């Protein structure tokens, strides 16, 4: 089955700890995205990557870091610098062919602070 | 002012009703318009995709785009309890990165 997987489903972070959220896709999509979703707010873009070994900051990149070493994988690290990390994190990917602007989402990871 | 405005609801309707969900936007460069459905604690799933102005129909769902008014709508006919979810509008301009801008989402509740 083609799709986007995210793990873990739930993640708990202690104060001062860095945690990494996994995102994998087998859709052969070039672009990948990370969003944060808080109650009552729309999705806010954290980072995005259009090709391997390249990524750009989104609207709320502070306290987060990413890497894109493989086309299929785009992990997100929530660092200790992110003071309010509790949220629902969504990974998305987009195909590269002309005219296809839509993004497809994974099931999400819920991050909670202990 | 937000780039995309969407009434958060909740919107409660009886089963079988016609539902109208709407978004307004301020950026005239937006050309691509999408509607996503998100069930509780799940990732959004794409419902409808429209390029530029006009209507698009898919089963019980109809998407409308009025670029002159900067207004988009999603209509759901014969609504079902399984349609109860949050509906997110999203849009983008044809620029580098193809970043989507999302509305806050409207919570829909269809009562049986």
């Amino acid at each position: 089955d083609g799709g986007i997987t995210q793990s873990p489903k739930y993640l708990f972070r202690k104060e001062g700890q860095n945690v990494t959220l996994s995102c994998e896709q087998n859709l052969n999509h070039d672009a990948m995205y990370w969003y944060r979703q808080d109650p009552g707010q729309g999705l806010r873009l954290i980072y995005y990557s259009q090709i391997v070994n390249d990524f750009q900051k989104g609207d709320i990149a502070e306290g987060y870091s990413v890497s894109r070493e493989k086309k299929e994988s785009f992990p997100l690290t929530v660092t200790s610098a992110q003071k309010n990390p509790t949220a629902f994190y969504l990974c998305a990917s987009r195909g590269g062919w002309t005219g296809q602007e839509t993004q497809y989402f994974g099931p999400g990871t819920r991050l909670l602070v202990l | 002012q937000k780039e995309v405005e969407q009434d958060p609801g909740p919107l409660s309707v009886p089963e079988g009703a016609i539902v109208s969900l709407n978004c307004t936007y301020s950026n005239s460069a937006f050309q691509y318009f999408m509607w996503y459905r998100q069930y509780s604690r799940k990732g959004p799933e794409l419902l409808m995709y429209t390029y530029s102005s006009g209507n698009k129909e898919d089963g019980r769902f109809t998407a409308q785009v009025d670029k002159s008014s900067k207004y988009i709508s999603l209509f759901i006919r014969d609504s079902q309890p399984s349609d109860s979810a949050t509906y997110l509008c999203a849009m983008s301009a044809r620029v580098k990165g193809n970043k989507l801008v999302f509305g806050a989402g409207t919570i829909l509740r269809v009562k049986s």
Side-chain angles (χ1 to χ4, degrees), chain A residues 10-67:
Chain A
Y10 294 96
L11 185 58
F12 298 91
R13 193 191 91 162
K14 296 179 181 178
E15 291 288 336
Q17 187 181 38
N18 293 354
V19 292
T20 298
L21 285 62
S22 169
C23 177
E24 304 277 332
Q25 54 100 358
N26 60 4
L27 300 167
N28 200 32
H29 284 174
D30 292 311
M32 297 186 74
Y33 304 79
W34 274 106
Y35 293 90
R36 169 181 173 140
Q37 187 176 34
D38 295 280
Q41 298 191 41
L43 279 64
R44 292 185 290 167
L45 183 64
I46 304 172
Y47 268 97
Y48 65 101
S49 167
Q50 296 190 85
I51 56 172
V52 174
N53 292 322
D54 184 63
F55 49 82
Q56 307 294 329
K57 290 182 179 180
D59 301 319
I60 55 165
E62 185 175 350
Y64 301 97
S65 66
V66 293
S67 62

Side-chain angles (χ1 to χ4, degrees), chain B residues 11-24:
Chain B
L11 177 62
S12 292
V13 301
E15 184 176 355
I18 297 175
V19 175
S20 173
L21 303 166
N22 312 294
C23 289
T24 59

Side-chain angles (χ1 to χ4, degrees), chain A residues 41-103:
Chain A
Q41 298 191 41
L43 279 64
R44 292 185 290 167
L45 183 64
I46 304 172
Y47 268 97
Y48 65 101
S49 167
Q50 296 190 85
I51 56 172
V52 174
N53 292 322
D54 184 63
F55 49 82
Q56 307 294 329
K57 290 182 179 180
D59 301 319
I60 55 165
E62 185 175 350
Y64 301 97
S65 66
V66 293
S67 62
R68 186 83 187 276
E69 298 177 0
K70 298 187 298 182
K71 187 175 184 178
E72 303 80 18
S73 178
F74 191 39
L76 172 74
T77 296
V78 184
T79 75
S80 57
Q82 173 49 244
K83 298 307 178 188
N84 185 23
T86 297
F88 191 44
Y89 290 86
L90 289 158
C91 178
S93 70
R94 179 180 63 83
W97 51 272
T98 301
Q100 178 59 281
E101 309 300 332
T102 56
Q103 296 179 18

Side-chain angles (χ1 to χ4, degrees), chain B residues 52-104:
Chain B
S52 193
S53 286
N55 293 359
K56 185 173 184 179
E57 187 173 324
D58 184 2
R60 296 185 296 112
F61 299 91
T62 299
Q64 285 186 353
V65 175
D66 182 349
K67 290 189 71 179
S68 62
S69 301
K70 298 190 181 67
Y71 188 87
I72 69 170
S73 300
L74 177 71
F75 297 96
I76 307 174
R77 291 183 298 279
D78 188 25
S79 56
Q80 303 295 310
S82 58
D83 294 327
S84 299
T86 298
Y87 290 80
L88 299 158
C89 63
M91 46 200 81
S92 73
R94 194 72 185 271
V95 295
K96 185 179 180 182
N98 294 102
K99 292 189 288 184
L100 288 181
V101 180
F102 285 84

